[in-house]
Amino acid sequence: MTTTASLPVGQQLEVGDIVASDASLRRFLHGLPGVDQVGAEARVATLSTRSIKTTAKAWAIDLAISMIDLTTLEGQDTPGKVRALCAKALRPDPADQSTPRVAAICVYPDMVPVAAHELAGSGVHVASVATAFPSGRAALPVKLADTRDAVAAGADEIDMVIDRGAFLSGRYLEVFEEIAAVRQAAGDAHLKVILETGELVTYDNVRRASWLAMLAGGDFIKTSTGKISPAATLPVTLVMLEAVRDFRDTMGRQVGVKPAGGIRTTKDAIKYLVLVNETVGDDWLDPDWFRFGASSLLNDLLMQRTKLTTGRYSGPDYFTLD
Amino acid sequence: MSDRIPVRKTYKLYIGGKFPRSESGRTYEVTDRKGTFLANAALGSRKDARDAVVAARKAFPGWSAATAYNRGQVLYRVAELLEGRRAQFVDEVVAGEGLSARKAEAVIDETIDRWVWYAGWSDKIAAIHGSSNPVAGPYFDFSVPEPTGVVAVLAPQGSSLLGLVSVIAPAVVTGSTVVVLASEQAPLPAISLSEVLATSDVPAGVVNLLTGRTAEIAPWLASHMDVNAIDLTGAPEQALELEVASADNLKRVLRPDAARDADWTITPGLERLLAYLETKTVWHPIGV
């Protein structure tokens, strides 16, 4: 499987040394151990066969609900839709008060004021995508302005996209500096860095991009925008979880992980939770350190939850569409 | 010529146009009336029922939106395929119900005629069950029948083919989709029917067929919140508790009726067709 053999675990690395030049950064990223693709996929396949039942399942469902970044990122979004989504975030299942709230609402920057108003004082975070989401193809000042706007409007979490073009052509320092600049512009807001793993092609690239985002100060690394297929997959999430584990071991800072896109069923969500538990352990089994970017997942979790509490199968008619 | 090694069948379920094994991995032995082994059938579980309901729900928008004419044609095509498999069905009915070959032939005739009879109703039911209503105002006012949705059918235990067809056809012809629990003792004709449906033009998921213990699976279908109607014909002893479980989401319930369900050769009338219909009334202003 994967290994941390060539990482100087225990010995403190200095970010400044790594990013001193394009060459030193490249040397570091390419010096990361390669990912054993077959091994990673086999490991995920094994973990996916775990059977989580009864009380453990009930616990996992509630945890998964509390980890959801309830997302609407459509051109057709309206304030009304965002308000409806916020109502759902605060009370996912109106018929059952014991249902936990979701972690955050994730919207486009212009919808942040609406969401911030609806969620004020509730503890549910307001996340905003920024930096010319989803392509990231805009000049840096535009991206920074986008970020500052979202923060000023009340977003306490910023989901930025990296410049995949620069990353794939090997201009790592450029990507690093851009993330660092957005980190600066985001101020106190939590920064989630979207790697768009569907465009990074290889697991080695995913591992490099993960390290790059963490070195630049990201608080979370997120798989995808949800606009590109494939979005989040289990092997990619495994690679990212290993990256945050190794990063904490060497750099002493914990970073969160957020798979986003394509996670639609309770079964899927529980597979991710098993993966988290087996790869990085309890420390990450918390909405502060692991999130699901999803919208339709919530309804399936609620249906499963209802099945467990009432003992009968539920149906999609009993939950809101968005 | 040497003796061939017999090819013993292990049948599977029919869900969403595919033939999966039971999620539980269980099977049970199907025997003829004298106890001779016939084949292994899947012993379905509640999760198979759950999957079947999901498949039926998925198929409902397409099937209910098909024109009545089209549904009739699709079902008629099934009758053609049944005709082509006649010999196999005769064997299975002989083995499963203990009839003589001649009586079984008559049952197959009746089965295919029953299917065609119901297929013909697809574009006529609205004429019988719908109406144009006289109203005191400048409006056209129509009431039209619409399919109710997903129908769970507990097929009769005794009549494994004619009875089965007589409970499936009236539900699907009007546009509902069904989850059928086949006769527990004699599931083979039902399984062969699913093979016929799979090769016909009936879209995947319109008919989903489970084999297994009726007493085990029926309560899950009765309490399922995403099932719109249930036919309790195959579980007369459990009918009361199943009807109570069905009340939570106001399912339409077709009760078993000992007199009616004793002889499937009698021309059925419209009761089963009408059992799975909702009425939609439309007010349309008379234009200027």
Side-chain angles (χ1 to χ4, degrees):
Chain A
M1 236 215 37
T2 51
T3 164
T4 55
S6 70
L7 280 172
V9 178
Q11 157 194 346
Q12 288 293 306
L13 289 172
E14 286 301 326
V15 180
D17 296 342
I18 297 170
V19 300
S21 70
D22 217 345
S24 64
L25 181 56
R26 172 190 308 273
R27 203 158 46 240
F28 175 79
L29 292 178
H30 284 262
L32 290 169
V35 181
D36 171 0
Q37 180 181 347
V38 174
E41 283 165 6
R43 168 92 176 138
V44 163
T46 312
L47 291 177
S48 297
T49 61
R50 287 279 170 86
S51 181
I52 308 291
K53 299 291 179 206
T54 63
T55 48
K57 185 176 180 184
W59 183 82
I61 287 174
D62 277 5
L63 180 64
I65 292 174
S66 71
M67 285 177 166
I68 287 183
D69 278 6
L70 199 56
T71 303
T72 180
L73 296 169
E74 302 292 337
Q76 60 198 353
D77 286 347
T78 59
K81 178 170 181 198
V82 172
R83 273 195 290 273
L85 208 63
C86 291
K88 187 164 187 174
L90 295 172
R91 186 147 297 167
D93 184 357
D96 186 350
Q97 306 259 4
S98 67
T99 316
R101 289 174 171 173
V102 305
I105 284 284
C106 184
V107 292
Y108 272 118
D110 64 327
M111 291 297 164
V112 168
V114 181
H117 178 257
E118 293 295 315
L119 299 174
S122 68
V124 176
H125 296 287
V126 179
S128 168
V129 296
T131 69
F133 181 92
S135 68
R137 295 256 70 88
L140 185 58
V142 177
K143 292 182 179 178
L144 296 181
D146 200 13
T147 307
R148 285 192 202 100
D149 266 8
V151 175
D156 50 9
E157 300 183 355
I158 295 292
D159 289 27
M160 71 166 290
V161 290
I162 65 166
D163 184 344
R164 281 88 73 191
F167 180 88
L168 289 170
S169 49
R171 306 198 303 274
Y172 298 131
L173 197 59
E174 193 179 318
V175 180
F176 174 89
E177 282 165 353
E178 190 173 282
I179 299 171
V182 174
R183 165 71 281 174
Q184 202 87 45
D188 291 337
H190 245 56
L191 182 67
K192 305 198 200 101
V193 183
I194 304 173
L195 310 180
E196 194 62 299
T197 53
E199 291 183 344
L200 296 186
V201 190
T202 67
Y203 294 142
D204 287 341
N205 274 344
V206 172
R207 174 168 285 175
R208 287 175 196 139
S210 301
W211 274 86
L212 187 57
M214 293 186 289
L215 289 170
D219 300 303
F220 252 85
I221 49 177
K222 172 173 167 184
T223 59
S224 329
T225 58
K227 306 289 184 195
I228 297 280
S229 184
T233 65
L234 284 162
V236 154
T237 309
L238 172 66
V239 171
M240 289 167 64
L241 285 167
E242 286 174 346
V244 297
R245 178 195 63 195
D246 297 347
F247 186 79
R248 189 176 72 170
D249 286 349
T250 50
M251 311 300 279
R253 184 168 73 90
Q254 186 166 342
V255 174
V257 176
K258 173 178 171 186
I263 307 164
R264 295 203 174 80
T265 63
T266 302
K267 213 175 222 174
D268 289 343
I270 291 179
K271 283 178 190 172
Y272 278 94
L273 294 180
V274 169
L275 190 64
V276 172
N277 191 51
E278 295 298 319
T279 313
V280 289
D282 266 357
D283 289 356
W284 268 268
L285 277 179
D286 184 295
D288 285 341
W289 301 109
F290 194 78
R291 296 275 183 87
F292 291 107
S295 42
S296 55
L297 170 65
L298 181 55
N299 273 6
D300 198 67
L301 286 166
L302 293 176
M303 276 195 271
Q304 293 285 334
R305 198 176 189 276
T306 309
K307 158 72 178 64
L308 286 179
T309 52
T310 63
R312 63 181 182 220
Y313 286 116
S314 188
D317 287 356
Y318 305 93
F319 300 96
T320 56
L321 286 176
D322 266 307
Chain B
M1 291 289 284
S2 61
D3 287 337
R4 285 186 63 234
I5 298 169
V7 180
R8 289 276 165 77
K9 282 190 155 182
T10 297
Y11 288 103
K12 296 189 272 188
L13 307 168
Y14 180 54
I15 297 174
K18 294 195 166 63
F19 292 95
R21 288 192 176 80
S22 169
E23 156 283 332
S24 62
R26 303 176 301 176
T27 58
Y28 70 110
E29 293 192 355
V30 180
T31 62
D32 67 10
R33 285 291 158 127
K34 298 186 191 99
T36 314
F37 176 80
L38 291 174
N40 291 305
L43 185 57
S45 68
R46 66 178 170 89
K47 293 192 176 176
D48 296 316
R50 172 199 65 186
D51 294 347
V53 171
V54 170
R57 176 59 64 194
K58 196 168 159 221
F60 180 69
W63 182 242
S64 58
T67 63
Y69 173 79
N70 181 231
R71 279 201 301 271
Q73 293 287 305
V74 167
L75 294 183
Y76 187 78
R77 167 89 183 127
V78 174
E80 292 176 8
L81 293 172
L82 286 172
E83 195 72 63
R85 289 226 194 188
R86 174 177 268 287
Q88 181 191 358
F89 280 113
V90 170
D91 288 349
E92 285 171 351
V93 169
V94 166
E97 298 182 26
L99 300 178
S100 69
R102 243 188 58 209
K103 279 195 177 145
E105 285 272 1
V107 167
I108 310 304
D109 288 344
E110 191 62 47
T111 299
I112 298 172
D113 292 353
R114 179 67 43 82
W115 193 278
V116 172
W117 187 80
Y118 272 122
W121 272 109
S122 67
D123 54 0
K124 299 170 189 72
I125 191 71
I128 303 293
H129 193 55
S131 61
S132 121
N133 312 313
V135 290
Y139 300 97
F140 293 120
D141 188 290
F142 310 103
S143 293
V144 289
E146 300 223 318
T148 190
V150 174
V151 179
V153 177
L154 312 182
Q157 299 297 336
S159 182
S160 60
L161 182 62
L162 177 56
L164 175 77
V165 160
S166 303
V167 293
I168 295 178
V172 294
V173 71
T174 54
S176 289
T177 55
V178 299
V179 175
V180 191
L181 201 49
S183 164
E184 194 172 318
Q185 295 305 322
L188 298 193
I191 297 168
S192 296
L193 179 68
S194 71
E195 290 174 357
V196 165
L197 293 168
T199 50
S200 75
D201 301 330
V202 177
V206 169
V207 177
N208 303 278
L209 194 129
L210 306 173
T211 53
R213 310 264 176 257
T214 307
E216 179 192 343
I217 302 176
W220 292 100
L221 289 169
S223 66
H224 200 306
M225 298 296 277
D226 203 28
V227 172
N228 302 98
I230 187 165
D231 175 353
L232 301 178
T233 302
E237 291 88 24
Q238 268 184 299
L240 182 64
E241 53 174 295
L242 292 177
E243 192 169 343
V244 170
S246 300
D248 274 334
N249 74 333
L250 307 178
K251 273 184 198 64
R252 296 194 171 276
V253 174
L254 190 67
R255 297 194 180 107
D257 176 336
R260 179 197 65 197
D261 301 342
D263 183 3
W264 291 96
T265 58
I266 298 167
T267 304
L270 297 184
E271 182 189 2
R272 287 178 180 278
L273 276 171
L274 302 183
Y276 312 122
L277 292 175
E278 311 290 337
T279 299
K280 179 172 80 178
T281 297
V282 183
W283 294 67
H284 192 291
I286 294 173
V288 196

